[in-house]
Amino acid sequence: EFISQSKSDLVAVVAHQLRTPLTGVKWIFTSLVGGDYGPVNEEQKKLLEQGSETNEDLLDLVDDILDVSRIEEGRVEYKFEMTDLAAFIHSLAIYFTAQAKEKNISIALDLPKEKVDVAFDQKRLRLAMNNLIENAIAYSKSGGSIGISLTKEPERVTIAVRDSGIGIPSHAQTKLFDKFFRAENAIRVRTRGTGLGLFLAKSIAESHGGSIRFESVENKGTTFFITLPLTQKSKDRGTLAATPTESHVYGM
């Protein structure tokens, strides 16, 4: 146990030390691609953009490792605020529209017309949802579709992210939320990936007093479900409860 903790501490320290130089490299690539230091031809620009993408992947890996480290050490602070979850999901879908269009993938929303006020941490839930939506886009074929829905029950809400992608092999399903695990068919489709996204999504859902699960058939698609309680209880905050508000209508 001591050795395992020491290894975790070392990884966290290394990740933290890597973040500053990687951020510096990011701005160097951005400046060069933007022509701040003189014009670049198309071939040079393409190479610089490839370098920038690789650097972004490394930054994502470092951020994921730091998040995992904070979770394992119990150092993640959650800020629960009453927020319209339907509007929150709608904004996420808008954000990913361009990325989906690049792969000729459509995003369909099924959200309640009325506001759905839920106490949640916007930053953390956005991280969890981003992982699910990015995966849905990455593992769906051109011409495919993604569905994002929100269902409200008396004491909880359920967010579903459905894709028509490669699915998860049955033998890999029990390991899906393990750190650094990636199914072999996912690696073939997308060589880059940290294997930490679903681990983080599970930790975030559970820290909200909720849960995450999935249904999947290989080569037919996957649906992830995040269930959250409508209220959050805390010794410091008391109970944050939803209150009726005016109706909102959403459209892509």
Side-chain angles (χ1 to χ4, degrees), residues 171-191:
H171 64 270
Q173 294 188 7
T174 58
K175 302 176 182 178
L176 199 64
F177 296 107
D178 291 354
K179 283 186 295 184
F180 302 111
F181 176 79
R182 298 186 69 214
E184 64 271 19
N185 63 338
I187 294 171
R188 286 196 299 268
V189 172
R190 188 186 188 191
T191 55

Side-chain angles (χ1 to χ4, degrees), residues 106-143:
S106 61
I107 299 179
L109 286 178
D110 183 7
L111 305 175
K113 292 182 179 180
E114 69 278 3
K115 290 179 70 175
V116 181
D117 285 324
V118 181
F120 65 93
D121 183 308
Q122 291 191 47
K123 179 181 178 181
R124 298 295 170 183
L125 188 60
R126 182 176 289 107
L127 174 61
M129 289 296 299
N130 283 354
N131 282 321
L132 296 185
I133 299 171
E134 284 175 355
N135 283 349
I137 294 172
Y139 299 126
S140 292
K141 294 179 180 179
S142 176

